Amino acid sequence: MAQPLKPKTIAMFDVDGTLTVPRKTANKETLDFIRSLRKTCAVAIVGGSDYGKICEQLGPDFEKEVDYLFSENGLVAYKDGEMIAKQSFLKFLGEEKLQTFLNFVLKYIADLEIPQKRGTFIEFRNGMLNVSPIGRNCSQEERDNFEKFDETANVRKTMVETLRKEFADYGLTYSIGGQISFDVFPNGWDKTYSLQFVEKDGFEEIHFFGDKTYKGGNDYEIFESAKTIGHTVTSPEDTVKQVTESIINA
């Protein structure tokens, strides 16, 4: 590929709510825009989901269509289509502590009184755990209903506060993202973890675009980082608009 117009600039994108409607696939217009953006600057995807879920939303082998793809906040990292790094949550915590934590979470969810419960309350990923009080097997309608319910019931927020107190010595960070779940990972393994890879490659202007940039949201740390220029977006269309204004036409 030809050298981009701004070789020292990189645009980094969250997935849900930024390039796609949450858990939906990206539309052709957005994907075409991301591909064409590489003529102007380097492009990175940095999502909290695992590699498979990101590819479900953006397309198979999407790591080959961008300069970097960081799944699980960068704990599984791809550059130019090749995996360059992979971290292990299990290795960090150890089996004994992990089981203690999992047992507590499952008992907590068992005692919750919420409109629906389905299956897969804990998803074990390479670099983190994803915890869902309703269960990730819920339908899209149930997902939407839980999100609205949680806006006032604060199920996830209350659960996170409980876990922070109960496991204060575990060195864990909790990050609420998407509609139905929150992520659990070691301190420092938030989306800022991905920055080490682009810094090492000499990028001097790092733009990050995300929707959950508020405190407690899974874009907050990288949005607030002194190393990035943060942009809060509200939809894929808003993302395209802000990228055009802040990078392409700047």
Side-chain angles (χ1 to χ4, degrees):
M1 184 175 172
Q3 180 88 330
L5 296 174
K6 300 181 179 182
K8 295 293 185 181
T9 298
I10 186 167
M12 304 183 72
F13 298 94
D14 166 53
V15 180
D16 272 2
T18 301
L19 296 180
T20 75
V21 175
R23 290 306 302 140
K24 300 288 181 66
T25 56
N27 62 44
K28 183 179 183 298
E29 291 76 17
T30 302
L31 293 177
D32 286 345
F33 176 79
I34 293 299
R35 293 182 185 108
S36 67
L37 180 61
R38 295 182 72 196
K39 296 173 185 174
T40 303
C41 66
V43 174
I45 305 300
V46 52
S49 296
D50 61 31
Y51 168 82
K53 286 189 176 62
I54 290 176
C55 286
E56 281 175 18
Q57 292 179 268
L58 302 182
D61 300 321
F62 198 73
E63 76 279 4
K64 295 175 183 173
E65 300 199 49
V66 290
D67 299 277
Y68 303 85
L69 189 147
F70 302 116
S71 63
E72 301 182 42
N73 295 346
L75 302 173
V76 180
Y78 292 83
K79 177 185 174 183
D80 298 328
E82 302 293 331
M83 185 186 291
I84 57 172
K86 188 175 182 179
Q87 286 292 349
S88 169
F89 183 84
L90 173 58
K91 192 179 291 185
F92 171 85
L93 207 57
E95 186 65 38
E96 185 176 346
K97 281 187 174 181
L98 176 64
Q99 286 204 32
T100 301
F101 184 86
L102 294 177
N103 290 343
F104 184 93
V105 167
L106 290 169
K107 288 173 184 174
Y108 185 100
I109 291 174
D111 291 335
L112 279 177
E113 293 186 11
I114 56 178
Q116 292 105 12
K117 287 182 188 176
R118 296 300 178 252
T120 312
F121 300 103
I122 300 172
E123 188 171 82
F124 193 88
R125 299 174 182 170
N126 290 296
M128 66 178 75
L129 297 177
N130 179 265
V131 178
S132 174
I134 183 177
R136 298 194 65 89
N137 291 357
C138 61
S139 67
Q140 185 61 52
E141 182 181 1
E142 291 164 343
R143 177 183 285 267
D144 294 340
N145 289 340
F146 178 82
E147 183 180 31
K148 288 176 186 170
F149 174 77
D150 197 37
E151 285 173 4
T152 53
N154 290 315
V155 175
R156 290 181 291 175
K157 184 179 177 183
T158 303
M159 188 173 180
V160 162
E161 288 170 356
T162 301
L163 291 171
R164 277 199 182 107
K165 291 175 186 173
E166 186 71 21
F167 298 98
D169 60 339
Y170 271 35
L172 298 174
T173 293
Y174 303 84
S175 183
I176 296 172
Q179 296 179 285
I180 60 168
S181 64
F182 60 89
D183 294 328
V184 185
F185 46 84
N187 294 339
W189 287 18
D190 53 64
K191 286 184 178 178
T192 60
Y193 190 89
S194 65
L195 295 177
Q196 62 184 294
F197 302 105
V198 299
E199 280 186 296
K200 184 176 70 176
D201 288 343
F203 291 100
E204 297 170 359
E205 190 172 304
I206 304 171
H207 291 261
F208 172 77
F209 298 85
D211 65 316
K212 289 187 168 53
T213 57
Y214 50 82
K215 192 166 186 178
N218 64 354
D219 296 323
Y220 175 75
E221 290 84 2
I222 191 169
F223 173 81
E224 286 288 321
S225 172
K227 298 175 180 179
T228 68
I229 301 167
H231 305 267
T232 303
V233 300
T234 57
S235 67
E237 293 75 22
D238 186 42
T239 299
V240 170
K241 178 175 178 288
Q242 291 201 40
V243 171
T244 302
E245 292 171 352
S246 61
I247 299 179
I248 296 174
N249 294 339

